Amino acid sequence: MDWSIPSNERRAWDRRVPYYLRIRDRFAALIEKGSLLPGTKLPPERELRDQFQITRVTARQALTQLEAEGLIFRENRRGWFVSPPRIQYDPTANVSFTESVLAQGRTPSATVLSTERMIASARESQFLDVEVGDPIFLIQRLRSIDGRAVLLEHLHVNAERCPGLLGLPLDRSLTELMSEHYGISEYRPHINMRPTALAEPQAQALGVSPGAPSLYLSRIIYDQFDSIIEFDQEFWRHDALEICINVHHHLSPVQAEGVNNSHDDMPETLR
Amino acid sequence: MDWSIPSNERRAWDRRVPYYLRIRDRFAALIEKGSLLPGTKLPPERELRDQFQITRVTARQALTQLEAEGLIFRENRRGWFVSPPRIQYDPTANVSFTESVLAQGRTPSATVLSTERMIASARESQFLDVEVGDPIFLIQRLRSIDGRAVLLEHLHVNAERCPGLLGLPLDRSLTELMSEHYGISEYRPHINMRPTALAEPQAQALGVSPGAPSLYLSRIIYDQFDSIIEFDQEFWRHDALEICINVHHHLSPVQAEGVNNSHDDMPETLR
DNA sequence: GAGTGGTCTAGACCACTTC
DNA sequence: AAGTGGTCTAGACCACTCC
């Protein structure tokens, strides 16, 4: 395949556009046009180097740029691939990861990486309504969509409220387990999010290179008695999700229903 | 100043840690410890090269990593600086940028970059409850915190609902203008966010290098009659904000008050 | 004009994946 | 064993900022 840039696709303000941005543009156009489908493997960096007559450093700069935009991703030492569509996710809704992924016609899965019963330190007690020294559970799970790991979870649970939790099938929805086994109905009024980059251990778990861009999300979870029973930390692949929030307080139920909250069709940038 | 790495700050799993991560760690530690205050200029890349006995490419890799994490930022061709604290921002609250920045003891400002009266294309009509050909206003503003540009806004407004809007002082809160001059009270039930990277024009406006990581946020704004009057697109510097969402629906007013929604003290990563 | 970041070259060796 | 990405060297020239 010939990857070179057709003359009709050059930028209006061409001339003195850095090479790495030209290559970025080339692939961005192919991906947006649908010529490169999600999951497609890109050519090896050395092939790009030859095709475009640049050095590998420059080729990598273009690839890193596309990665930052979420158009492509890499699997450590395996290659570069076109990103699947983002999953739409509402962190304020009481809808589990599993449900919302299924609702969008994708296939979710969960792997329990580790479980641990530990004693709350000052740090955890602060977030969990427990005293220092009280028992808590720490559960680490990896969530995938269509076989691609997208989310690393660190769940901190008040152990006294759900004895025996670690013996239950933790690859299922935790919300369901809490409800079915302990009569706890969760809700999640406080959510924090910020863009960052992944440190070594999280990157490893998600199978990405350390320093890959990421969205960090934390959540304090209450039960029906307004007592904190869970504190979650989530590390998302930055290209895997689109946060869609519906605030219902002013909408009548009829209006709220059937609302499509994706602004997908609006171009994000005005290149 | 000597930037070299003291032996007691090496990682436990040292040995074969890439140079660029060691340098990252060095600066991350200094910043978290408070030895490097927000706004501090980092040494020139060439100085880092000499201090750490690496090449400039490797030095830049470390700096880019710190930038991705939000710890430092660059001003185009001026140098690298320690990032100020993130502003806490609730996109679901009807609180203006100005108000929320002031409430956190920082100084907000706004610059109008451009205003335009234009005719709705198919694209805009889809988001604004107007017909193709109806007039809309497009307003571009730059918002700053303590003199640092952090947010580029593209506001699309239904022009028929607020005639003469472009003649009003647009560096003020738009929500206030809508309320005071047109009797429109806004609310914003649909919000979309995703991490991306900035394209050339947006990067230029924010004074950052193209490709810098960013958070894109779009919003559909309704009036009190549930008709769409505004569609906003926001491009945030990724290191400038921390999204804090409070969902009130289950909380009694008493509980909702005084809730501190920052999970700040919880470490994001567990290096 | 000196200093600084932005871009780029032309190589190299290593670690890991794939076959 | 071959292929691929991950890391790194030792330079270079340019565009822009600061003085």
Side-chain angles (χ1 to χ4, degrees):
Chain A
M1 176 151 187
D2 177 27
W3 301 95
S4 58
I5 305 175
S7 56
N8 64 343
E9 268 187 33
R10 301 190 188 261
R11 302 190 188 213
W13 47 285
D14 212 322
R15 143 186 344 237
R16 227 33 262 162
V17 175
Y19 289 158
Y20 80 94
L21 283 182
R22 299 188 203 188
I23 294 159
R24 185 226 86 95
D25 286 356
R26 177 79 189 120
F27 280 99
L30 289 173
I31 291 170
E32 276 151 25
K33 213 169 53 184
S35 307
L36 287 175
L37 295 176
T40 307
K41 188 176 186 307
L42 265 50
E45 295 173 0
R46 288 167 178 83
E47 196 174 312
L48 294 178
R49 175 195 62 192
D50 298 338
Q51 283 273 354
F52 289 100
Q53 310 238 46
I54 52 178
T55 50
R56 222 183 114 208
V57 176
T58 306
R60 278 174 71 79
Q61 204 177 351
L63 294 168
T64 305
Q65 171 68 24
L66 286 160
E67 180 193 40
E69 296 176 43
L71 291 174
I72 66 174
F73 68 99
R74 50 181 138 175
E75 291 187 11
N76 213 331
R77 290 172 212 273
R78 282 190 7 92
W80 299 84
F81 304 84
V82 177
S83 296
R86 293 172 188 267
I87 197 88
Q88 287 168 35
Y89 181 65
D90 185 343
T92 68
N94 280 318
V95 178
S96 70
F97 175 87
T98 306
E99 283 176 82
S100 64
V101 172
L102 281 174
Q104 292 171 56
R106 317 273 293 271
T107 307
S109 61
T111 315
V112 178
L113 297 182
S114 71
T115 64
E116 192 182 340
R117 184 195 156 93
M118 55 184 281
I119 296 304
S121 68
R123 198 165 253 162
E124 284 106 22
S125 71
Q126 190 176 341
F127 285 90
L128 268 181
D129 258 6
V130 300
E131 304 292 323
V132 174
D134 283 356
I136 65 174
F137 294 135
L138 174 58
I139 302 168
Q140 301 199 19
R141 298 197 297 188
L142 192 64
R143 316 296 293 256
S144 302
I145 300 176
D146 300 333
R148 175 190 178 222
V150 294
L151 164 61
L152 174 65
E153 294 177 318
H154 291 194
L155 313 174
H156 308 73
V157 186
N158 183 340
E160 288 178 340
R161 293 294 309 280
C162 35
L165 177 65
L166 299 190
L168 300 177
L170 294 173
D171 56 344
R172 290 188 42 214
S173 158
L174 199 65
T175 307
E176 280 177 26
L177 292 181
M178 298 298 263
S179 161
E180 291 172 12
H181 289 80
Y182 307 104
I184 293 171
S185 73
E186 301 187 322
Y187 73 100
R188 37 198 72 180
H190 302 332
I191 294 155
N192 248 357
M193 287 182 279
R194 60 162 168 272
T196 49
L198 290 173
E200 174 72 28
Q202 284 80 30
Q204 183 120 32
L206 283 167
V208 304
S209 317
S214 157
L215 190 79
Y216 170 76
L217 193 155
S218 69
R219 225 193 309 249
I220 297 175
I221 299 180
Y222 291 73
D223 65 10
Q224 64 269 46
F225 311 113
D226 293 332
S227 127
I228 299 176
I229 60 153
E230 196 178 326
F231 174 75
D232 289 356
Q233 298 178 289
E234 301 185 356
F235 300 87
W236 283 84
R237 288 186 82 124
H238 80 303
D239 64 345
L241 85 167
E242 178 178 9
I243 308 271
C244 295
I245 296 176
N246 281 318
V247 183
H248 289 301
H249 49 93
H250 283 247
L251 281 179
S252 71
V254 175
Q255 290 170 311
E257 225 163 292
V259 160
N260 175 4
N261 192 25
S262 176
H263 307 174
D264 251 357
D265 305 332
M266 202 64 183
E268 169 184 324
T269 56
L270 316 168
R271 281 172 201 288
Chain B
M1 176 148 186
D2 176 28
W3 301 96
S4 59
I5 305 174
S7 58
N8 62 342
E9 268 187 33
R10 302 192 188 261
R11 301 189 188 214
W13 46 285
D14 209 321
R15 144 186 344 234
R16 226 34 262 163
V17 176
Y19 290 159
Y20 80 94
L21 283 182
R22 297 188 205 191
I23 294 158
R24 186 225 85 96
D25 287 357
R26 176 78 189 120
F27 281 98
L30 289 173
I31 292 169
E32 275 151 24
K33 213 170 54 183
S35 307
L36 288 174
L37 295 177
T40 307
K41 188 174 186 306
L42 265 48
E45 294 173 359
R46 288 168 177 82
E47 196 173 312
L48 294 178
R49 175 196 60 192
D50 299 338
Q51 283 274 353
F52 289 101
Q53 309 238 44
I54 52 177
T55 50
R56 222 183 114 209
V57 176
T58 305
R60 278 175 71 79
Q61 204 176 352
L63 293 168
T64 305
Q65 171 68 24
L66 287 160
E67 180 192 40
E69 296 176 43
L71 290 173
I72 67 174
F73 69 100
R74 50 180 138 175
E75 291 187 12
N76 214 333
R77 289 172 212 274
R78 283 189 9 91
W80 299 83
F81 303 84
V82 177
S83 296
R86 293 172 189 266
I87 197 86
Q88 286 168 36
Y89 182 64
D90 185 343
T92 68
N94 280 316
V95 178
S96 70
F97 176 87
T98 305
E99 283 176 83
S100 65
V101 172
L102 281 174
Q104 290 170 58
R106 315 274 292 272
T107 306
S109 64
T111 315
V112 178
L113 298 182
S114 72
T115 64
E116 192 183 339
R117 185 194 154 93
M118 55 184 279
I119 296 304
S121 69
R123 199 166 252 162
E124 284 107 23
S125 72
Q126 190 176 341
F127 284 91
L128 268 182
D129 257 6
V130 300
E131 303 293 322
V132 174
D134 284 355
I136 64 173
F137 294 135
L138 175 58
I139 302 168
Q140 299 199 20
R141 299 198 297 188
L142 192 63
R143 317 296 294 257
S144 301
I145 300 177
D146 299 335
R148 176 190 178 220
V150 295
L151 164 59
L152 173 66
E153 293 177 318
H154 291 195
L155 313 174
H156 308 74
V157 186
N158 183 341
E160 288 178 341
R161 293 296 309 280
C162 35
L165 177 66
L166 299 191
L168 300 178
L170 294 173
D171 55 345
R172 288 187 45 213
S173 158
L174 199 67
T175 307
E176 281 178 26
L177 292 180
M178 297 299 262
S179 162
E180 291 172 12
H181 288 79
Y182 307 103
I184 291 171
S185 73
E186 301 188 321
Y187 74 99
R188 37 199 72 179
H190 302 331
I191 294 154
N192 248 359
M193 286 182 280
R194 60 160 167 274
T196 49
L198 290 173
E200 176 72 28
Q202 284 80 31
Q204 184 121 33
L206 283 168
V208 304
S209 317
S214 158
L215 191 78
Y216 170 76
L217 191 154
S218 69
R219 226 194 306 249
I220 297 175
I221 299 180
Y222 291 73
D223 65 9
Q224 64 269 45
F225 310 114
D226 293 333
S227 127
I228 300 177
I229 59 153
E230 195 179 326
F231 175 75
D232 289 356
Q233 297 179 290
E234 301 184 357
F235 300 87
W236 283 83
R237 289 186 81 124
H238 81 302
D239 63 346
L241 85 168
E242 178 177 9
I243 308 272
C244 296
I245 296 177
N246 281 317
V247 182
H248 290 301
H249 51 93
H250 283 247
L251 281 179
S252 71
V254 175
Q255 289 170 310
E257 227 166 289
V259 159
N260 175 4
N261 191 24
S262 175
H263 307 173
D264 251 358
D265 306 332
M266 202 65 183
E268 170 184 322
T269 55
L270 317 167
R271 282 173 200 289

